[in-house]
Structure formats: structure tokens, C-alpha cells
Amino acid sequence: LAEATCVPSFWLGNETLKVPVALFALNRRRLCDRLRQNKDVQKNSVVLLQGGEETQRYCTDTGIVFRQESYFHWTFGVTEAGCFGAVDVDTGRSMLFVPLLPESYAVWMGNSLHDVTFKYLYLAHDHGHFNSFPFQRGVNTDSGSISKEASFEGITVRFNSRRILLHRVIKTDMELEVLRYTNKISSEAHKEVMDPLLLIIFALSVTVVLRKRVAWPDMHRLADRVHLEELTKIGILKGNVDDMVKVHLGAVFMPHGLGHLLGIDVHDVGGYPEGVERIDLPGLRSLRTARNLEQGMVLTIEPGIYFINHLLDQALRDPAQSCFINNDVLQRFRGFGGVRIEDDIAVTASGMELLTCVPRTVEEIEAFMAEGQGSAKSFGSLSSQKE
């Protein structure tokens, strides 16, 4: 953590982004504001979260690189392991509970942070110590995985982690700045590894105009239709596209979902809150969210075309689907594998902001490869990609 001009921030130095700790203080305020509006949340309620714990590789004493538990990171921004955090919903005051470390810790790992330093670096109102804290486990409804929900004897209201994760769906301006930075870094890395000897251009694309309140499953259906139209143009498919849609032929070539929410986690949480049901149809059931788009959401858009033998063989055995397939042309693509094109976008008030800055069209890719990997050409600055 860097202490720049009395404003604490997380910084790894050398041209990396300084992330203000105020980002997490704002998240806590947003959380409390929303919970105070919830009639089911009683007065004098406290949100109690448990941070991640350091672990070893199987039965060895070799430590695995620590990554903070995502809900805890979103709320407090704490990078150290073994902590608890509490937020008073009524007042917004926060408290960090830091583990008591033995004196031997300083011998092998260096001095631990002082209590006051913890308060300053993470903008907490208070701090404390603990020796142990009981907790209960809960299920993340998006992933199906078990997440820890901190708890203690005598608590009268237990906060379901889903109430917290929903706040992670809508990004603040500071969070969007972090996502712009990470997209810039990953885009530059992508361009570095583009190899003209290995590059295969499969000219299928989906142009999607995103607006608030658009249902994400409708975007998936649009991608399916565009794929079917293009596959028909190059002769792999034949017949009426509307009829192909009715028998879910698109899912044969794009069995995955069009995209997912993006944030602290790659497949970020909040895709299926209460009242949003998964659509049990081919392709659509693979969507990681079926929500209507809202300003502040960040999602991936990753249409793909795959030639998977298992799915192709199934379709050829199904008369309802095989009648649309030109098997002679299809054979040329057996063993090809597939191609998926990914862009990351933020939903804005008027449309969307494109966060990814890599060549994506055939013309841009060819121009980039011709100029060489060392080219400084930019495919749209972050500030110019809003639509």
C-alpha cells in the first residue's frame, strides 16, 4: 500500500494504477444505503464478513499465493489474510478485526502492520483483535460453490451474502477506472502474443447495440441469428434461418453463453438474483446471467463458433436439425476447433463503453500484423469508445 499525499491507495509501483482505498469506503456506504432501504433489515444491524485464509499446497508446508475473498475485498480492500470486518448499517462505521500474530512472525515474515496503520490504510473507523470467530457456510447461487458467511452466537439477523453480492454488479466510477486499466494491460498482452504464422481469421462477427433495460438473453438470441445467417452464406447451412432458430441450431455451434458479468471475479456474481430464472433451453441455459442490462454493469461479449464433433454428430442424427446442414461442406471444418471473439463493455446511460482496445475486424488485424507487434497504433482510446 502506498501513502501518497495523505491519501492511502493500493499501488504496485512502476507505471501501475494507484487504486484509492476510498473506492472501498464508497462501497461500504453504498452497501449501508441499500440495506437501510430494506424493510427486512432491523435497526442496530451489523454486516460481518470473514476474509480469506492462507492455505498450503495439499499436505505440504508450501504456501499458495494468497488472494483475498472477493466479498471481503469489495467491502474493505484489505490484502492481508485472516481478518474479519464489520460495518454498522445505521451509522456506516466500520471495524477491522486483525489476527493476533506471534512474535516469531516478525522473525520470518517481517514486522506486521500496527493497529493504527491498519485503520489509516483501509479507512476503517476502528480496529480490534480476535483469537477465533465462528461462522456458517452459504451457497453462492451463481456458481453453486460454498462461500463462508461469518456469524457468532446471539446474532438476531443473518445477512445472506446475496444481498451483498448484488451491490457488486453496478460499478462505481472508481471501479470502472480499475477495469479500464486492467483491460488496457490485457489488451496490450493480447497484441504481443498475436503471431502471424498462427493467426486464423474466421470472418464471423456480431454487432450489438446495447441499451439499458435490454434483456441479456435477447442479445444471445441475436448472436445466434447472426451466426446462422453467416454459416448459411458460406454454405455450411442451408434453408430458412427462422426455422433453424426454432430447433435451436445455433446452440450446436455456440453452446456457451454470449457473455457474463465482469468484476472482482472473472465470472462475477449477481447473474441470477431472486426473481431472475435460468432459461432451460439449448445455449440459453449456459448464460451466466439473464438480467436486464443496467447502467454501471460490466460484461463480456464473446460470440463464438465451434465445430465440436459430439454436438455435430448429435445434430446430424436429429432430422429436425440435420435437414439444415450441408454435411459435405461441414466436413472441411471438422477438426478446426473454433474461434471466440471477446470484448468487455460497460453499460452507460446512452449505450455502452468499449473497454477492450485490440484489433478485432479483419482489416484491423491485417493492418496490425503488417505494422509489426512493436507498433504503437491504438485501436481507439478508452475515452473515445463510448457509444
Side-chain angles (χ1 to χ4, degrees):
L1 284 165
E3 302 176 28
T5 323
C6 299
V7 178
S9 59
F10 178 81
W11 185 47
L12 295 176
N14 296 332
E15 301 180 9
T16 61
L17 181 70
K18 286 186 178 181
V19 180
V21 178
L23 181 156
F24 307 102
L26 176 57
N27 283 346
R28 294 194 294 273
R29 290 199 298 272
R30 294 168 63 207
L31 173 63
C32 291
D33 288 344
R34 179 69 69 87
L35 291 178
R36 283 195 292 266
Q37 297 171 14
N38 189 325
K39 60 181 178 58
D40 295 328
V41 178
Q42 301 176 8
K43 287 288 187 181
N44 301 318
S45 293
V46 174
V47 176
L48 181 65
L49 295 176
Q50 181 181 4
E53 301 173 353
E54 290 186 306
T55 57
Q56 283 72 46
R57 183 175 291 112
Y58 303 115
C59 64
T60 73
D61 63 351
T62 303
I64 297 175
V65 176
F66 176 72
R67 184 185 187 279
Q68 186 59 271
E69 196 277 329
S70 296
Y71 302 136
F72 195 81
H73 178 78
W74 182 89
T75 311
F76 294 99
V78 173
T79 58
E80 288 77 17
C83 298
F84 281 75
V87 184
D88 187 314
V89 175
D90 293 343
T91 66
R93 293 182 61 83
S94 58
M95 175 181 286
L96 285 175
F97 297 88
V98 182
L100 280 171
L101 299 173
E103 292 185 3
S104 60
Y105 180 93
V107 177
W108 307 108
M109 304 300 293
N111 292 332
S112 58
L113 293 177
H114 190 271
D115 295 342
V116 176
T117 307
F118 255 98
K119 286 177 57 179
Y120 171 75
L121 289 179
Y122 298 118
L123 299 181
H125 295 97
D126 208 344
H127 67 279
H129 288 287
F130 66 89
N131 290 319
S132 65
F133 237 132
F135 58 84
Q136 70 174 18
R137 293 180 179 271
V139 178
N140 182 310
T141 57
D142 297 290
S143 66
S145 299
I146 302 297
S147 61
K148 292 182 178 179
E149 185 179 43
S151 181
F152 55 86
E153 185 176 356
I155 190 169
T156 58
V157 177
R158 300 183 186 277
F159 285 91
N160 188 317
S161 60
R162 292 177 64 187
R163 291 181 180 171
I164 296 171
L165 66 85
L166 294 181
H167 299 283
R168 287 170 49 184
V169 174
I170 306 300
K171 306 301 188 287
T172 63
D173 289 342
M174 285 187 283
E175 288 175 316
L176 284 173
E177 191 60 28
V178 174
L179 287 166
R180 291 186 186 102
Y181 171 77
T182 56
N183 269 271
K184 178 179 182 295
I185 296 300
S186 59
S187 294
E188 292 301 317
H190 176 83
K191 288 187 282 188
E192 282 295 319
V193 299
M194 288 175 65
D195 190 330
L197 297 178
L198 298 178
L199 183 64
I200 299 174
I201 301 175
F202 193 65
L204 289 176
S205 63
V206 176
T207 301
V208 179
V209 179
L210 292 174
R211 294 289 182 266
K212 290 190 299 180
R213 308 310 301 170
V214 169
W216 190 239
D218 288 344
M219 295 297 95
H220 181 97
R221 293 184 180 100
L222 175 60
D224 262 349
R225 175 173 289 276
V226 173
H227 287 162
L228 294 172
E229 290 172 350
E230 295 297 325
L231 289 170
T232 301
K233 288 179 182 178
I234 63 177
I236 293 178
L237 300 180
K238 57 186 178 181
N240 184 277
V241 171
D242 288 337
D243 293 334
M244 297 178 195
V245 171
K246 292 176 183 176
V247 297
H248 308 292
L249 192 60
V252 174
F253 300 94
M254 189 175 76
H256 60 84
L258 177 62
H260 52 81
L261 294 167
L262 192 64
I264 291 178
D265 293 317
V266 175
H267 298 144
D268 213 19
V269 295
Y272 288 94
E274 293 179 2
V276 178
E277 301 297 330
R278 191 178 296 273
I279 301 171
D280 190 18
L281 291 172
L284 289 166
R285 66 170 62 100
S286 297
L287 283 174
R288 294 182 181 272
T289 183
R291 296 180 63 159
N292 291 339
L293 300 186
E294 298 180 33
Q295 181 179 352
M297 286 181 172
V298 176
L299 304 98
T300 67
I301 301 179
E302 40 187 311
I305 292 290
Y306 290 87
F307 298 93
I308 301 169
N309 285 333
H310 176 70
L311 295 179
L312 295 174
D313 292 340
Q314 277 187 337
L316 289 170
R317 291 194 299 267
D318 182 355
Q321 294 184 330
S322 62
C323 62
F324 299 109
I325 299 174
N326 188 334
N327 198 27
D328 291 337
V329 178
L330 177 63
Q331 291 305 314
R332 293 164 40 199
F333 293 88
R334 291 271 192 170
F336 172 83
V339 171
R340 190 186 304 202
I341 303 170
E342 176 173 336
D343 282 318
D344 299 336
I345 62 98
V347 181
T348 66
S350 59
M352 67 97 176
E353 175 186 353
L354 178 61
L355 302 177
T356 308
C357 42
V358 297
R360 59 182 59 79
T361 67
V362 174
E363 293 76 18
E364 287 177 343
I365 293 172
E366 289 178 342
F368 177 79
M369 302 311 297
E371 294 175 11
Q373 293 175 322
S375 170
K377 180 176 178 180
S378 172
F379 292 86
S381 64
L382 296 179
S383 61
S384 67
Q385 298 187 73
K386 296 181 180 179
E387 295 184 359

